[in-house]
């Protein structure tokens, strides 16, 4: 999919990667507030990795399209070894890797190759080297690698350092309490050094981000967010809901159990692992499960605690679901693999006992079957279904690749000066910074409202464009063009049709007092005399330089000249 069309870009990469084209050409996006903001909030490790690739001559979007395969392999490697450390059965580790890969490719975290894609390989590396240290394998090397992985986690996805440090604190408390009951097994100096080093690294990372003020602050508060349409149904960053079950349980950004959590559905089998462990006398293989399994509960407790903390401190710890979503996918992949292994092993044991009994009973009846159908069911049906399950899930893999639909417009804009600014309310405009390397004034993909120092100005721009696009007053249109130094206006063909705002992303701005009349006014537009219709609609045919797909590209300078030299 990534190489089938040259005009392909991953959805979230448009937001996080587009500004890196400046590293190829420093003249791009001059005085571009959107580019400056997303450059400022991009983690240092992410910048560094892409920067090195670009220095080697690899374009940033080529890096973005190829990186998920590498990250997936690293994730698989570490998950396999972690699972082997919990139950040394390769079959179990293989199932865990299959399930995690399936769930990662049913969501767009990994394929985005944005900072959150690095959670899985880097966090699992931290977990693996921690396990190696606990087992006394290459203690010095494991400690160094664990500390480095923790530092890398801070460089790529700082929020998850809180989860990792939470696991460390829980493990430390558990170890201290456990050792206090066994006075003959005190904490070794080596263990103290491990916790001191790793928690110090975590504290440095957390402290750095806690005391580094954003150039685009402050962060939106809970009270401010509740008053903004952007955070309610229909808004760009839908977060709040009057349905408390949805809000706390399955909400995309607010829920503990993210709506896509049990994809594939086989992950739900992992919830039965505690029951199997409680009835371990029925499952002989549990005797081979190592104490490393306690890391699953440590991760769950740490993630749940941070989920609650993030809700209490909205939005200073960003989104609550980010702490549980990634964690539960890892936990359930391992737990489901263990559950399936225990069940299959138990079915095999039962079959062996039945076979021995049948042999004794059927010495004179050799035609009777000596195998139990349970094993056939598990091996011939369950495992193929496990592998083939994604074939029934659409779409799989979920890449969220976006294809540029206006190549002529991109090519035309590339011939314009690098300081060209395109004004548009069309979602098509989100691709212009990627494929035309020119600035846009606003765009759906860039309407992120968490830092008010950035978003207040963004919102003013969006409202100004809405007013100008639908105003019958030419002075209103010209004022906006002059204020924001607009060179082109990208206008949707359906912009003046009734019900235009019903599913349009700009409906979140209609709560502004100056715009509340627009939906009703637009419904009556065809019945209005020409002089009362939007001035942009009346002048667009005379100033359109290109029409492609569902948009018109209008020359703003032509509009200015038309205002100064033409009469209606």
């Amino acid at each position: 999919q990534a190489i089938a069309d040259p005009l392909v870009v991953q959805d979230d990469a448009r937001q996080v990667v587009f500004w890196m084209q400046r590293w190829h050409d420093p003249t791009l996006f001059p005085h571009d507030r959107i580019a400056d903001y997303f450059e400022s909030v991009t983690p240092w490790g992410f910048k560094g990795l892409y920067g090195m690739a670009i220095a080697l001559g690899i374009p940033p979007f080529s890096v973005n399209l190829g990186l998920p395969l590498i990250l997936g392999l690293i994730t698989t490697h570490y998950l396999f070894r972690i699972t082997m450390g919990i139950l040394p059965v390769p079959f179990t580790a293989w199932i865990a890797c299959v399930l995690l890969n399936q769930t990662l490719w049913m969501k767009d975290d990994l394929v985005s190759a944005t900072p959150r894609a690095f959670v899985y390989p880097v966090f699992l590396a931290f977990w693996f080297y921690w396990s190696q240290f606990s087992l006394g394998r290459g203690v010095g090397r494991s400690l160094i690698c664990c500390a480095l992985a923790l530092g890398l986690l801070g460089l790529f996805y700082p929020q998850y350092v809180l989860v990792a440090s939470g696991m460390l604190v829980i493990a430390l408390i558990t170890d201290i309490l456990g050792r206090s009951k066994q006075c003959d097994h005190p904490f070794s100096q080596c263990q103290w050094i491990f916790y001191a080093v790793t928690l110090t690294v975590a504290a440095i990372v957390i402290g750095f981000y806690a005391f580094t003020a954003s150039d685009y602050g402050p962060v939106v508060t809970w009270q401010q967010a509740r008053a903004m349409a952007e955070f309610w149904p229909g808004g760009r960053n839908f977060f709040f809901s009057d349905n408390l079950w949805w809000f706390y349980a399955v909400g995309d950004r607010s829920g503990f159990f993210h709506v896509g959590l049990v994809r594939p559905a086989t992950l739900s089998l992992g919830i039965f692992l505690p029951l199997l462990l409680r009835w371990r006398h029925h499952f002989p293989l549990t005797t081979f499960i190592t104490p490393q399994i306690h890391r699953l509960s440590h991760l769950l407790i740490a993630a749940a605690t941070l989920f609650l903390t993030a809700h209490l401190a909205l939005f200073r710890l960003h989104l609550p679901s980010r702490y549980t979503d990634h964690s539960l996918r890892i936990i359930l992949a391992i737990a489901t693999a263990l559950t399936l292994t225990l069940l299959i092993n138990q079915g095999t044991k039962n079959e062996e006992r039945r076979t021995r009994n049948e042999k004794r009973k059927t010495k004179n009846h050799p035609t009777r079957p000596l195998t139990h159908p349970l094993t056939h069911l598990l091996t011939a049906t369950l495992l193929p279904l496990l592998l083939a399950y994604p074939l029934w899930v659409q779409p799989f893999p979920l890449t969220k690749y976006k294809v540029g639909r206006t190549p002529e417009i991109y090519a035309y804009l590339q011939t314009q000066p690098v300081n060209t600014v395109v004004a548009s309310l069309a979602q098509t405009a989100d691709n212009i910074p990627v494929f035309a390397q020119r600035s846009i004034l606003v765009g759906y993909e860039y309407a992120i409202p968490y830092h008010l120092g950035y978003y207040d100005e963004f919102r003013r721009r969006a409202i100004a464009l809405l007013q100008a696009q639908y105003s019958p007053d030419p002075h209103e249109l010209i004022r906006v063009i002059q204020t924001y130094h607009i060179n082109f206006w990208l206008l949707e063909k359906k912009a003046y049709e009734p019900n235009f705002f019903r599913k349009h992303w700009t409906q979140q701005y209609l709560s502004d007092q100056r715009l509340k009349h627009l939906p009703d006014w637009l419904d009556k537009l065809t019945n209005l005399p020409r002089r009362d219709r939007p001035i942009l609609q009346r002048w667009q045919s005379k100033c359109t330089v290109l029409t492609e797909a569902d948009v018109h590209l209008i020359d703003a300078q032509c509009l200015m000249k038309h205002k100064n030299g033409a009469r209606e």
Side-chain angles (χ1 to χ4, degrees):
Q1 289 180 313
I3 62 175
D5 192 313
L7 295 179
V8 167
V9 62
Q10 206 282 330
D11 185 21
D12 290 338
R14 295 181 296 176
Q15 181 188 102
V16 182
V17 180
F18 85 94
W19 61 267
M20 293 182 184
Q21 295 173 105
R22 284 172 163 174
W23 292 341
H24 268 309
D25 183 354
T27 65
L28 293 179
F29 309 115
H31 312 294
D32 187 322
R33 188 174 181 82
I34 294 176
D36 291 343
Y37 171 71
F38 282 101
E39 180 176 1
S40 75
V41 298
T42 302
W44 287 99
F46 188 77
K47 291 180 185 177
L49 180 63
Y50 272 74
M52 287 189 292
I54 292 170
L56 294 173
I58 307 174
F61 288 105
S62 296
V63 178
N64 180 264
L65 292 172
L67 196 57
L69 300 177
I70 299 173
L71 297 179
L73 287 171
I74 297 172
T75 298
T76 301
H77 167 76
Y78 283 117
L79 184 72
F80 190 93
R81 301 190 70 178
I82 288 169
T83 309
M84 283 289 290
I86 295 173
L87 179 63
V89 176
F91 174 77
T92 308
W94 174 76
I95 291 180
C97 291
V98 169
L99 290 172
L100 186 62
N101 275 278
Q102 286 180 351
T103 190
L104 290 181
W105 286 96
M106 290 181 181
K107 198 171 181 290
D108 66 329
D109 288 332
L110 182 68
V111 73
S112 72
T114 56
R116 69 179 187 273
F118 290 81
V119 169
Y120 297 96
V122 180
F123 174 74
L124 290 175
F126 156 77
W127 186 346
F128 169 70
Y129 290 115
W130 180 11
S131 301
Q132 292 295 100
F133 180 91
S134 301
L135 296 172
R137 297 172 182 170
V139 172
R141 182 177 63 85
S142 296
L143 174 57
I144 293 172
C145 291
C146 192
L148 287 174
L150 200 55
L152 283 174
L153 195 59
L155 288 173
F156 283 96
Y157 200 77
Q159 300 100 304
Y160 224 70
V161 174
L162 295 170
V163 176
S165 56
M167 288 181 68
L168 288 167
V169 170
I170 294 168
L172 175 60
I173 294 172
T174 303
D175 285 347
I176 291 174
L177 293 177
R179 300 284 180 169
S180 66
K181 298 176 182 178
Q182 303 176 20
C183 298
D184 55 332
H185 291 88
F187 244 38
S188 68
Q189 183 180 9
C190 195
Q191 288 171 306
W192 282 118
I193 292 174
F194 172 83
Y195 284 112
V197 170
T198 52
L199 288 174
T200 298
V201 172
I204 291 171
V205 171
I206 295 168
F208 173 79
Y209 285 99
F211 294 104
T212 302
S214 171
D215 295 334
Y216 296 90
V219 175
V220 65
T221 65
W222 175 82
Q223 293 86 350
Q224 291 169 325
R226 285 190 66 86
M228 297 168 64
E230 289 86 337
F231 289 94
W232 289 90
R236 168 66 176 85
N237 291 81
F238 176 22
F239 182 85
F240 296 109
S241 173
D242 292 327
N243 184 330
L244 294 181
W245 163 255
W246 187 94
F247 181 62
Y248 287 108
V250 297
D252 185 25
R253 297 176 173 90
S254 61
F256 188 91
F257 303 103
H258 185 276
V259 288
L261 176 62
V262 287
R263 296 184 68 202
T266 42
L267 283 179
S268 58
L269 292 173
I271 64 176
F272 297 105
L273 179 61
L275 292 176
L276 301 187
L277 295 178
R278 185 177 180 84
W279 300 330
R280 60 176 61 240
H281 58 281
H282 293 296
F283 301 94
L285 202 59
T286 56
T287 58
F288 296 96
I289 294 178
T290 71
Q292 293 295 323
I293 196 173
H294 297 306
R295 296 283 186 264
L296 295 178
S297 58
H298 295 168
L299 176 55
L300 179 60
I301 294 169
T305 301
L306 284 161
F307 171 83
L308 294 173
T309 306
H311 264 291
L312 294 173
L314 285 175
F315 287 89
R316 283 172 287 177
L317 295 179
H318 200 40
L319 301 173
S321 67
R322 296 297 183 262
Y323 297 99
T324 54
D325 186 17
H326 306 302
S327 303
L328 288 174
R329 289 174 186 277
I330 295 171
I331 292 169
L332 287 176
I334 297 174
T336 300
L338 292 170
T339 299
L340 287 172
T341 304
L342 295 177
L343 290 174
I344 291 173
N345 180 72
Q346 179 61 19
T348 304
K349 295 294 183 183
N350 290 340
E351 180 191 346
E352 289 175 354
R353 286 195 296 269
R354 289 189 183 96
T355 301
R356 287 194 296 268
N357 293 335
E358 289 292 334
K359 284 181 178 180
R360 286 194 296 268
K361 295 178 181 178
T362 59
K363 288 181 180 180
N364 299 322
H365 304 279
T367 58
R368 293 182 60 183
L370 298 181
T371 58
H372 193 271
L374 178 61
T375 299
H376 294 309
L377 174 65
L378 291 173
T379 56
T381 305
L382 181 61
L383 295 181
L385 284 176
L386 178 68
L387 289 174
Y389 177 83
L391 296 176
W392 288 274
V393 177
Q394 294 297 328
F396 180 84
L398 177 65
T399 59
K400 289 193 178 179
Y401 287 147
K402 303 298 180 181
V403 179
R405 302 297 183 188
T406 55
E408 292 182 17
I409 289 177
Y410 306 144
Y412 178 81
L413 290 175
Q414 284 179 333
T415 66
Q416 304 301 308
V418 292
N419 61 349
T420 295
V421 176
V422 179
S424 181
L425 300 173
Q427 284 190 235
T428 306
D430 292 343
N431 292 330
I432 287 177
V434 177
F435 299 124
Q437 293 87 45
R438 295 300 180 263
S439 300
I440 60 175
L441 200 63
V442 298
Y444 168 82
E445 190 64 26
Y446 311 100
I448 305 300
Y450 298 114
H451 288 101
L452 295 181
Y454 162 76
Y455 190 69
D456 283 347
E457 172 60 22
F458 186 99
R459 193 172 194 274
R460 281 192 291 270
R461 291 181 178 187
I463 290 174
L465 290 189
L466 281 165
Q467 288 180 292
Q469 184 163 303
Y470 293 95
S471 174
D473 182 3
H475 295 92
E476 179 75 21
L477 176 64
I478 301 306
R479 181 185 64 79
V480 170
I481 291 174
Q482 291 176 331
T483 300
Y484 295 110
H485 309 289
I486 296 169
N487 301 99
F488 294 93
W489 202 293
L490 195 68
L491 182 69
E492 291 168 279
K493 291 180 180 178
K494 297 181 179 180
Y496 298 109
E497 294 182 3
N499 301 321
F500 173 74
F501 290 108
R502 179 164 296 174
K503 293 184 179 181
H504 201 266
W505 73 276
T506 55
Q507 66 175 303
Q508 63 190 11
Y509 302 117
L510 300 183
S511 58
D512 186 277
Q513 192 64 37
R514 294 163 289 181
L515 303 175
K516 284 186 175 180
H517 70 287
L518 277 184
D520 292 336
W521 180 80
L522 195 59
D523 289 342
K524 304 172 185 176
L525 183 61
T526 54
N527 297 323
L528 294 176
R530 179 174 173 79
R531 66 176 180 275
D532 294 332
R533 295 184 183 182
I535 194 69
L536 186 60
Q537 182 189 32
R538 286 146 58 187
W539 288 355
Q540 75 174 61
S541 61
K542 299 175 182 178
C543 295
T544 295
V545 295
L546 269 176
T547 296
E548 190 175 13
D550 60 345
V551 290
H552 304 287
L553 185 66
I554 302 170
D555 187 347
Q557 293 306 308
C558 172
L559 296 174
M560 297 276 288
K561 292 175 183 177
H562 193 71
K563 160 64 172 61
N564 294 329
R567 298 176 63 88
E568 280 295 309

